[in-house]
Amino acid sequence: MPHRFVAGFALMLGLLAACQPALNWREVRPAQSGAVALFPCKPDVEQRAGMGLVQCEAAGSRFALSWADTPDAAQAGAALKAMAQALAAKLGQPLPPAQPLQVAGMTPLPEAGQHRLGGDGAATRVAVFAHGGRVYQAVMSGARDDAPAWEAFIAGLRVEPAR
């Protein structure tokens, strides 16, 4: 009888482990960022004066949110455009037209948007937005495109007013 109990218990644990989602979403509030984000894993945080990066890997994809302060809020639009173009150039791809992006608390700028980049067994999505003179870049990259994960990542972003 004890052997059946142990075997049944082991089977139950195996089934429970199989049901665990690969993405374990959690709210992250990186200090000094002014942003709140949902990440599917526990991210690492790197910060320096006026800039930072929060990133993690889950289910074969890397999720990242970076931010930087521009010297003047009037430069935010140009910085957003340059950030998206720099990532596309790094990947050796042209930057496709931006799709609309809405992040709660963002400053409405025509340069804010999201792009889907793909190629040689990799998929990258990038979104750029600003709040005043602070610019943000959200990125998801992996071997395959995961639209639901990207949508959850973007939907979980918001900018909060300074406290």
Side-chain angles (χ1 to χ4, degrees):
M1 191 65 112
H3 180 65
R4 283 188 186 165
F5 176 77
V6 172
F9 186 73
L11 176 62
M12 183 178 72
L13 285 177
L15 290 174
L16 286 174
C19 294
Q20 293 296 318
L23 303 178
N24 182 9
W25 296 94
R26 70 213 49 220
E27 187 175 270
V28 176
R29 295 172 180 266
Q32 312 294 315
S33 72
V36 177
L38 281 180
F39 274 85
C41 41
K42 184 177 180 186
D44 294 322
V45 180
E46 299 175 33
Q47 290 183 283
R48 289 181 225 154
M51 60 177 28
L53 171 67
V54 182
Q55 63 181 340
C56 68
E57 286 188 44
S61 292
R62 176 175 294 278
F63 297 82
L65 176 66
S66 59
W67 63 92
D69 292 329
T70 61
D72 178 0
Q75 297 175 346
L80 294 178
K81 189 174 181 180
M83 289 164 63
Q85 289 174 335
L87 180 59
K90 181 179 177 181
L91 298 173
Q93 299 181 22
L95 184 65
Q99 298 299 312
L101 175 70
Q102 187 59 44
V103 172
M106 73 181 233
T107 301
L109 293 172
E111 297 86 357
Q114 56 184 315
H115 306 271
R116 182 176 174 211
L117 305 163
D120 300 337
T124 300
R125 292 191 184 233
V126 59
V128 292
F129 58 99
H131 179 76
R134 178 163 288 169
V135 293
Y136 296 89
Q137 178 175 272
V139 177
M140 182 186 82
S141 60
R144 63 177 182 78
D145 189 39
D146 187 343
W150 175 250
E151 290 165 14
F153 188 44
I154 293 302
L157 291 172
R158 70 180 184 271
V159 180
E160 294 187 330
R163 296 180 197 186

